[in-house]
Amino acid sequence: MSYLLYYSPDSANLVIRMILEELGAHYDDSEVPRRRSERDATFLRLNPRGLLPVLIDKANDTVLFETGAIALYLADRHGALAPSPQAAGHQEAQARANCLKWLFMLSNTLHADLRLCFYSERFVTQSSEIAPLRAAAAKRIQGHLALLEEMLAEHGGDHLLPWGLSVCDFYLGCCLRWSQLYPAGHAPMTAGEVERFPNLIRLLTALQRRPAVLRALNREGISGDAFIAPTVRLPARVADGVGAATA
Ligand SMILES: N[C@@H](CCC(=O)N[C@@H](CS)C(=O)NCC(=O)O)C(=O)O
């Protein structure tokens, strides 16, 4: 199996790169501009929304976008990093359901609210609305993290799912990285605030130690601790302007 990952360093593609590395999958990558408005027609044909990540499965010429969908596709294809959809018994069926629940929560709630912070200017008509929107999103994000912290505390493991290491861990790790970094100076949480979540810190520490994660970080040019009090790899993103584009 072989893949092509479209990326921009230290963007949402990092989730997928970590998963590809963990699976030991063979893949190439192709860099695209950081801003959606600068991505060309060829890329837009792959993802009409113009967003990263995009993954091509070369074995069957399949084009995938949406982080959660790509993560689950890879897990199912490789039979690793998620409980199998062919659940043989009650426990396996529950583990699969649990994985789907949290993966979708990360994708359509936590990541979606992070986008409200990163791209606030796109969701408003006047610049005076940006700070209140960002503050409201930050509050929601802190609530989501508190819920995830509780989930982890309940089973006390190093991974989000009691089942073991899954695609959810890589996705959550990146969301926590972004929560402390972006947008520069207005991140939903300061680096120190992550200390309020000792169970999440345990998960992040375990993630940072994985050789596959270190390889992925290296390929994206990220150094130091990527998840706890991280430092930004790139200059802050330049805003597209108020109401410049749809989310
Ligand atoms: N729901 C999408 C969101 C992806 C996303 O936010 N991609 C960012 C990468 S950090 C992007 O392409 N941003 C460029 C832009 O919107 O200008 C997913 O999960 O794939």
Side-chain angles (χ1 to χ4, degrees):
M1 281 176 267
S2 176
Y3 304 95
L4 175 60
L5 175 67
Y6 287 85
Y7 81 104
S8 172
D10 200 6
S11 290
N13 38 263
L14 177 60
V15 180
I16 304 305
R17 195 189 289 280
M18 292 194 298
I19 292 170
L20 286 165
E21 290 286 344
E22 188 69 43
L23 291 169
H26 179 266
Y27 70 98
D28 300 313
D29 58 21
S30 173
E31 187 166 352
V32 300
R34 189 160 183 80
R35 294 171 67 186
R36 179 169 67 179
S37 50
E38 290 166 9
R39 294 175 186 162
D40 65 14
T42 313
F43 183 76
L44 288 176
R45 271 196 292 279
L46 300 174
N47 182 358
R49 294 196 64 225
L51 299 177
L52 289 168
V54 165
L55 185 81
I56 297 186
D57 183 345
K58 294 186 192 171
N60 46 27
D61 251 340
T62 300
V63 180
L64 291 125
F65 54 82
E66 282 298 317
T67 313
I70 303 172
L72 192 59
Y73 177 90
L74 286 171
D76 286 351
R77 196 142 165 75
H78 289 257
L81 298 181
S84 165
Q86 271 96 42
H90 185 67
Q91 270 190 343
E92 289 97 325
Q94 281 194 335
R96 175 73 177 183
N98 205 30
C99 176
L100 294 181
K101 274 188 316 205
W102 290 105
L103 183 60
F104 277 72
M105 183 272 187
L106 294 176
S107 162
N108 69 21
T109 305
L110 180 57
H111 193 177
D113 281 347
L114 281 165
R115 284 184 54 85
L116 281 180
C117 279
F118 306 156
Y119 303 109
S120 311
E121 69 283 353
R122 297 181 186 171
F123 294 84
V124 298
T125 48
Q126 291 173 40
S127 49
S128 61
E129 294 164 341
I130 291 177
L133 173 65
R134 206 167 264 160
K139 204 167 163 205
R140 280 175 56 84
I141 289 162
Q142 298 235 3
H144 306 326
L145 296 181
L147 178 67
L148 290 156
E149 168 75 8
E150 238 174 76
M151 240 287 283
L152 266 169
E154 259 173 43
H155 66 79
D158 282 355
H159 309 299
L160 185 62
L161 309 180
W163 177 81
L165 179 74
S166 74
V167 290
C168 296
D169 296 307
F170 301 103
Y171 204 167
L172 175 55
C174 289
C175 287
L176 276 152
R177 171 178 173 79
W178 304 329
S179 300
Q180 298 164 75
L181 283 182
Y182 305 117
H186 300 278
M189 150 167 112
T190 63
E193 273 179 292
V194 76
E195 304 289 340
R196 290 195 293 117
F197 304 114
N199 290 280
L200 289 175
I201 288 207
R202 199 174 60 248
L203 179 148
L204 297 176
T205 307
L207 216 49
Q208 178 74 34
R209 288 198 185 116
R210 301 197 73 80
V213 168
L214 296 177
R215 285 196 301 275
L217 294 173
N218 189 40
R219 286 188 72 164
E220 299 257 342
I222 298 167
S223 56
D225 194 317
F227 307 111
I228 302 171
T231 48
V232 70
R233 179 209 180 271
L234 293 168
R237 182 181 55 84
V238 183
D240 281 330
V242 169
T246 55

mmCIF file of all heavy atoms in Angstrom, residues 11-29:
data_model
loop_
_atom_site.group_PDB
_atom_site.id
_atom_site.type_symbol
_atom_site.label_atom_id
_atom_site.label_comp_id
_atom_site.label_asym_id
_atom_site.label_seq_id
_atom_site.Cartn_x
_atom_site.Cartn_y
_atom_site.Cartn_z
ATOM 1 N N SER A 11 0.521 21.759 9.644
ATOM 2 C CA SER A 11 -0.915 21.966 9.478
ATOM 3 C C SER A 11 -1.630 20.679 9.876
ATOM 4 O O SER A 11 -1.004 19.744 10.364
ATOM 5 C CB SER A 11 -1.239 22.329 8.030
ATOM 6 O OG SER A 11 -0.758 23.620 7.748
ATOM 7 N N ALA A 12 -2.924 20.607 9.584
ATOM 8 C CA ALA A 12 -3.718 19.445 10.015
ATOM 9 C C ALA A 12 -3.181 18.128 9.447
ATOM 10 O O ALA A 12 -3.446 17.055 9.993
ATOM 11 C CB ALA A 12 -5.176 19.640 9.623
ATOM 12 N N ASN A 13 -2.390 18.223 8.368
ATOM 13 C CA ASN A 13 -1.773 17.012 7.799
ATOM 14 C C ASN A 13 -0.876 16.286 8.799
ATOM 15 O O ASN A 13 -0.583 15.111 8.628
ATOM 16 C CB ASN A 13 -0.961 17.366 6.549
ATOM 17 C CG ASN A 13 -0.234 18.680 6.680
ATOM 18 O OD1 ASN A 13 -0.738 19.693 6.207
ATOM 19 N ND2 ASN A 13 0.918 18.687 7.343
ATOM 20 N N LEU A 14 -0.439 17.023 9.861
ATOM 21 C CA LEU A 14 0.434 16.393 10.863
ATOM 22 C C LEU A 14 -0.246 15.171 11.489
ATOM 23 O O LEU A 14 0.404 14.158 11.761
ATOM 24 C CB LEU A 14 0.810 17.426 11.940
ATOM 25 C CG LEU A 14 1.662 16.927 13.101
ATOM 26 C CD1 LEU A 14 3.006 16.365 12.630
ATOM 27 C CD2 LEU A 14 1.889 18.050 14.115
ATOM 28 N N VAL A 15 -1.562 15.253 11.689
ATOM 29 C CA VAL A 15 -2.301 14.118 12.267
ATOM 30 C C VAL A 15 -2.092 12.889 11.378
ATOM 31 O O VAL A 15 -1.765 11.791 11.848
ATOM 32 C CB VAL A 15 -3.828 14.422 12.332
ATOM 33 C CG1 VAL A 15 -4.591 13.248 12.928
ATOM 34 C CG2 VAL A 15 -4.108 15.723 13.079
ATOM 35 N N ILE A 16 -2.282 13.093 10.078
ATOM 36 C CA ILE A 16 -2.221 11.966 9.142
ATOM 37 C C ILE A 16 -0.784 11.479 8.979
ATOM 38 O O ILE A 16 -0.532 10.279 8.871
ATOM 39 C CB ILE A 16 -2.833 12.372 7.780
ATOM 40 C CG1 ILE A 16 -4.282 12.872 7.975
ATOM 41 C CG2 ILE A 16 -2.769 11.221 6.779
ATOM 42 C CD1 ILE A 16 -5.200 11.877 8.695
ATOM 43 N N ARG A 17 0.150 12.407 9.009
ATOM 44 C CA ARG A 17 1.554 11.962 8.876
ATOM 45 C C ARG A 17 1.939 11.071 10.066
ATOM 46 O O ARG A 17 2.615 10.058 9.901
ATOM 47 C CB ARG A 17 2.500 13.161 8.762
ATOM 48 C CG ARG A 17 3.878 12.737 8.260
ATOM 49 C CD ARG A 17 4.878 13.842 8.332
ATOM 50 N NE ARG A 17 4.685 14.908 7.373
ATOM 51 C CZ ARG A 17 5.052 14.867 6.096
ATOM 52 N NH1 ARG A 17 5.585 13.773 5.613
ATOM 53 N NH2 ARG A 17 4.883 15.925 5.320
ATOM 54 N N MET A 18 1.507 11.448 11.253
ATOM 55 C CA MET A 18 1.839 10.630 12.426
ATOM 56 C C MET A 18 1.218 9.237 12.289
ATOM 57 O O MET A 18 1.838 8.223 12.630
ATOM 58 C CB MET A 18 1.359 11.318 13.714
ATOM 59 C CG MET A 18 2.136 12.584 14.015
ATOM 60 S SD MET A 18 1.921 13.250 15.692
ATOM 61 C CE MET A 18 0.206 13.599 15.720
ATOM 62 N N ILE A 19 0.000 9.188 11.780
ATOM 63 C CA ILE A 19 -0.676 7.885 11.609
ATOM 64 C C ILE A 19 0.049 7.049 10.552
ATOM 65 O O ILE A 19 0.300 5.854 10.747
ATOM 66 C CB ILE A 19 -2.166 8.106 11.257
ATOM 67 C CG1 ILE A 19 -2.897 8.714 12.462
ATOM 68 C CG2 ILE A 19 -2.833 6.810 10.810
ATOM 69 C CD1 ILE A 19 -4.314 9.201 12.184
ATOM 70 N N LEU A 20 0.413 7.675 9.443
ATOM 71 C CA LEU A 20 1.140 6.937 8.388
ATOM 72 C C LEU A 20 2.453 6.388 8.935
ATOM 73 O O LEU A 20 2.825 5.231 8.669
ATOM 74 C CB LEU A 20 1.419 7.867 7.203
ATOM 75 C CG LEU A 20 0.217 8.222 6.318
ATOM 76 C CD1 LEU A 20 0.543 9.416 5.410
ATOM 77 C CD2 LEU A 20 -0.212 7.025 5.467
ATOM 78 N N GLU A 21 3.148 7.221 9.704
ATOM 79 C CA GLU A 21 4.429 6.777 10.282
ATOM 80 C C GLU A 21 4.196 5.634 11.255
ATOM 81 O O GLU A 21 4.941 4.652 11.273
ATOM 82 C CB GLU A 21 5.145 7.939 10.980
ATOM 83 C CG GLU A 21 5.688 9.009 10.029
ATOM 84 C CD GLU A 21 6.929 8.550 9.261
ATOM 85 O OE1 GLU A 21 7.552 7.551 9.641
ATOM 86 O OE2 GLU A 21 7.262 9.211 8.244
ATOM 87 N N GLU A 22 3.172 5.760 12.091
ATOM 88 C CA GLU A 22 2.891 4.707 13.085
ATOM 89 C C GLU A 22 2.538 3.399 12.395
ATOM 90 O O GLU A 22 2.893 2.312 12.857
ATOM 91 C CB GLU A 22 1.741 5.177 13.995
ATOM 92 C CG GLU A 22 1.475 4.275 15.170
ATOM 93 C CD GLU A 22 2.586 4.284 16.227
ATOM 94 O OE1 GLU A 22 3.099 5.359 16.553
ATOM 95 O OE2 GLU A 22 2.946 3.184 16.699
ATOM 96 N N LEU A 23 1.839 3.484 11.273
ATOM 97 C CA LEU A 23 1.441 2.273 10.547
ATOM 98 C C LEU A 23 2.611 1.691 9.750
ATOM 99 O O LEU A 23 2.517 0.581 9.213
ATOM 100 C CB LEU A 23 0.284 2.588 9.582
ATOM 101 C CG LEU A 23 -1.067 2.932 10.225
ATOM 102 C CD1 LEU A 23 -2.029 3.474 9.173
ATOM 103 C CD2 LEU A 23 -1.663 1.696 10.907
ATOM 104 N N GLY A 24 3.682 2.477 9.633
ATOM 105 C CA GLY A 24 4.808 2.032 8.813
ATOM 106 C C GLY A 24 4.430 1.998 7.337
ATOM 107 O O GLY A 24 4.986 1.214 6.566
ATOM 108 N N ALA A 25 3.484 2.838 6.948
ATOM 109 C CA ALA A 25 3.014 2.853 5.560
ATOM 110 C C ALA A 25 4.023 3.561 4.657
ATOM 111 O O ALA A 25 4.723 4.486 5.087
ATOM 112 C CB ALA A 25 1.664 3.568 5.482
ATOM 113 N N HIS A 26 4.050 3.144 3.411
ATOM 114 C CA HIS A 26 4.912 3.819 2.440
ATOM 115 C C HIS A 26 4.154 5.010 1.870
ATOM 116 O O HIS A 26 3.015 4.867 1.416
ATOM 117 C CB HIS A 26 5.310 2.849 1.315
ATOM 118 C CG HIS A 26 6.162 3.518 0.290
ATOM 119 N ND1 HIS A 26 5.632 4.083 -0.843
ATOM 120 C CD2 HIS A 26 7.490 3.753 0.272
ATOM 121 C CE1 HIS A 26 6.620 4.646 -1.531
ATOM 122 N NE2 HIS A 26 7.753 4.447 -0.882
ATOM 123 N N TYR A 27 4.746 6.203 1.925
ATOM 124 C CA TYR A 27 4.052 7.367 1.356
ATOM 125 C C TYR A 27 5.039 8.409 0.861
ATOM 126 O O TYR A 27 6.160 8.506 1.346
ATOM 127 C CB TYR A 27 3.093 7.983 2.392
ATOM 128 C CG TYR A 27 3.780 8.687 3.546
ATOM 129 C CD1 TYR A 27 3.937 10.076 3.548
ATOM 130 C CD2 TYR A 27 4.267 7.972 4.644
ATOM 131 C CE1 TYR A 27 4.564 10.726 4.610
ATOM 132 C CE2 TYR A 27 4.886 8.620 5.704
ATOM 133 C CZ TYR A 27 5.037 9.995 5.681
ATOM 134 O OH TYR A 27 5.662 10.625 6.731
ATOM 135 N N ASP A 28 4.578 9.180 -0.116
ATOM 136 C CA ASP A 28 5.301 10.359 -0.567
ATOM 137 C C ASP A 28 4.499 11.557 -0.102
ATOM 138 O O ASP A 28 3.329 11.418 0.261
ATOM 139 C CB ASP A 28 5.387 10.398 -2.100
ATOM 140 C CG ASP A 28 6.109 9.178 -2.638
ATOM 141 O OD1 ASP A 28 7.183 8.844 -2.107
ATOM 142 O OD2 ASP A 28 5.561 8.551 -3.569
ATOM 143 N N ASP A 29 5.122 12.747 -0.182
ATOM 144 C CA ASP A 29 4.325 13.920 0.156
ATOM 145 C C ASP A 29 4.544 15.026 -0.861
ATOM 146 O O ASP A 29 5.515 15.023 -1.616
ATOM 147 C CB ASP A 29 4.577 14.382 1.591
ATOM 148 C CG ASP A 29 6.032 14.710 1.865
ATOM 149 O OD1 ASP A 29 6.788 14.962 0.904
ATOM 150 O OD2 ASP A 29 6.414 14.698 3.045
#
